[in-house]
Amino acid sequence: MANKRRLFRSPGRANIIGEHTDYNDGLVLPTNTALYTWLTISPRTDRMVAVTADNFAEKDQFHLDEIVRNEQPTWIDYLKGVAAEIEATGIQLSGADISIYGEIPIGGGLSSSASVEIAMASAMLGIAGASMTSREMARACQRAEQTYGGVNCGIMDQFSVASCDRGHAMLLDCRTLETESVTIPAEMTLLVTDSGVKHQLTESGYNKRADECREAVKILQLEDSAIIALRDLETETLKAHAERLGEVLLRRCRHVVSENQRVRDAFNSLRLGEIVEVGSLVQCSHASLRDDFEVSCEEIESLVAIADACDGVLGSRMMGGGFGGCVLSVVRTDCIPEVSREIATQYGAVCGAEPWIHAVSAAAPAEEVALP
Ligand code: GLA
């Protein structure tokens, strides 16, 4: 089995619209980008999994028969989680020597962890000669993130990284897991700028927001047992429940309900090539995330204001879990060089260092590639 090295890569994901809707059984509209997690793997004859994480120059290992969850997760826990969750489905994996290198900024809202998880799942299944549908793989990796990473995340990131087609965005219904693809018009480019504020989802308010949404569902269920998730609410029904929910939960619910509608509208606008409309929806999404869901922060606000003031920017918003990370801007493609320069100068002056800026490329989902 020696020297059977194989190489897998898994992209990052950029979410056009549909934030904090996935764990509410709602709608999202992500795409992938050519920032990769690279993973080389060779099978071993035993059940040890030995990993080198090139970004940290660190090594760690675990045995497939003794996978223990760590209270304070480190990078290896995501890999342990993926192996454990795949084996829990009845697939037998083999030990492996692995090395991983990630290009996606960690904690930037571009799903570095989902990308690592899906790369690991693809590679471990690959050497075991086993397969899962991308839907099953996404589910297993989501469980890994929840159980071993400590984040009560939804399915969006893993699903997008595992299956969103090259050149497209994917409308994903997080309840039924039905998808519909839409081409990203050539005149529109998604530009991602890192605010430099690292979010650590477990420590940020992410789990708190997920709890608040669950609490709201419990309250609403007392009135209407057909409400299983916030997905089941409409603007009108929400109004009728306002008093019971109280001010804060009402705002959380209002974000989810209005965001689901914005995802539908953005999908239709993309289909028609109406990029100005996509930009306005992105702007409305940001206002709702800031005011109703309260997951923005000062630096993100300043970056969104700078980006939105640039000629050629149609709308910007915080992306991902929030409390830092990246801002996504919908930009006219022919304005990308000027907009990038302007954001770099202006935000650079605010935060004291030139920000990392990336143009999203609608890259292919995770795949095995030839070793150079
Ligand atoms: C993180 C989670 C996703 C999703 C977003 C917010 O990226 O991993 O499941 O909830 O935040 O939309």
Side-chain angles (χ1 to χ4, degrees), residues 4 19 21 107 124 155 191 345:
K4 286 243 177 90
E19 222 65 273
T21 45
M124 290 297 273
I155 188 78
L191 197 71
T345 314

Side-chain angles (χ1 to χ4, degrees), residues 312-365:
V313 172
L314 303 173
S316 304
R317 65 172 195 84
M318 53 139 283
M319 187 176 68
F323 308 102
C326 287
V327 161
L328 169 120
S329 302
V330 178
V331 183
R332 289 188 191 279
T333 300
D334 52 7
C335 298
I336 284 288
E338 298 79 32
V339 168
S340 309
R341 263 199 304 277
E342 192 64 19
I343 295 178
T345 314
Q346 302 246 7
Y347 190 65
V350 171
C351 72
E354 196 161 301
W356 176 87
I357 302 183
H358 169 78
V360 171
S361 59

Side-chain angles (χ1 to χ4, degrees), residues 27-98:
L27 306 173
V28 292
L29 189 58
T31 181
N32 291 329
T33 193
L35 289 169
Y36 295 105
T37 301
W38 298 92
L39 190 152
T40 52
I41 187 164
S42 352
R44 295 169 54 126
T45 48
D46 59 8
R47 289 191 25 98
M48 280 304 291
V49 178
V51 190
T52 306
D54 291 336
N55 298 67
F56 315 122
E58 279 177 23
K59 288 179 194 292
D60 205 345
Q61 57 181 19
F62 61 91
H63 197 280
L64 286 168
D65 295 326
E66 287 158 34
I67 297 182
V68 186
R69 199 177 68 87
N70 222 327
E71 276 309 314
Q72 290 297 322
T74 67
W75 59 267
I76 192 87
D77 292 288
Y78 294 85
L79 308 182
K80 281 186 200 165
V82 170
E85 292 298 340
I86 293 177
E87 287 220 316
T89 69
I91 292 174
Q92 175 140 74
L93 296 175
S94 96
D97 289 318
I98 291 176

Side-chain angles (χ1 to χ4, degrees), residues 13 15 18-23 28 109 111 113-114 142 145 151-158 199 201 206 318-322:
R13 77 96 189 89
N15 187 22
E19 222 65 273
H20 290 274
T21 45
D22 62 350
Y23 56 82
V28 292
S111 296
S113 58
Q142 179 196 17
E145 175 121 10
V151 181
N152 293 326
C153 65
I155 188 78
M156 165 170 67
D157 304 348
Q158 292 80 3
H199 67 184
L201 288 186
Y206 185 93
M318 53 139 283
M319 187 176 68

